[in-house]
Amino acid sequence: MKKIITMVGTSIFENYFEENENNNIKNYYEDLEKKRSGEYENTRIDQIKRSIREWFSNNNDRENVSAETKSLVKIRE
């Protein structure tokens, strides 16, 4: 099995927020958008990652989570 690592755009976050009303995570995300990478708080980043991963893992329509995941599904096929 080959593994592919890809970057995802902000659409994954937008799609997450459409389906989830987690105001803490949304506030963390919006706060990080305004900061430089050296100003990020790792605990907030970890909470965002954990929420997105959980949502992705439980999502039955993974192909449409973001354009990048859709492309990966097409590559696999």
Side-chain angles (χ1 to χ4, degrees), residues 9-21 29 52 55 59 61-69:
T10 58
S11 66
I12 197 167
F13 297 105
E14 293 166 7
N15 294 338
Y16 170 82
F17 293 128
E18 281 181 16
E19 294 183 22
N20 297 280
E21 292 188 24
Y29 173 74
I52 297 291
W55 168 70
N59 195 315
D61 191 20
R62 290 184 185 164
E63 180 177 330
N64 293 313
V65 168
S66 73
E68 294 81 8
T69 58

Side-chain angles (χ1 to χ4, degrees), residues 3-4 9 20 26-27 33 35 38 42 46 60 68 77:
K3 293 185 180 190
I4 298 173
N20 297 280
K26 189 169 189 170
N27 291 338
E33 283 184 313
K35 294 186 177 187
N42 288 333
D46 291 339
N60 293 327
E68 294 81 8
E77 291 173 355

Side-chain angles (χ1 to χ4, degrees), residues 10-75:
T10 58
S11 66
I12 197 167
F13 297 105
E14 293 166 7
N15 294 338
Y16 170 82
F17 293 128
E18 281 181 16
E19 294 183 22
N20 297 280
E21 292 188 24
N22 188 331
N23 288 331
N24 284 338
I25 298 301
K26 189 169 189 170
N27 291 338
Y28 293 165
Y29 173 74
E30 289 172 352
D31 187 48
L32 291 175
E33 283 184 313
K34 301 170 191 168
K35 294 186 177 187
R36 302 173 83 167
S37 63
E39 299 172 319
Y40 292 171
E41 293 179 35
N42 288 333
T43 55
R44 288 184 175 198
I45 292 171
D46 291 339
Q47 289 175 334
I48 293 169
K49 285 181 187 178
R50 194 171 20 259
S51 294
I52 297 291
R53 282 185 187 139
E54 182 179 321
W55 168 70
F56 182 80
S57 295
N58 295 325
N59 195 315
N60 293 327
D61 191 20
R62 290 184 185 164
E63 180 177 330
N64 293 313
V65 168
S66 73
E68 294 81 8
T69 58
K70 190 171 194 165
S71 296
L72 290 173
V73 168
K74 295 296 180 188
I75 290 170

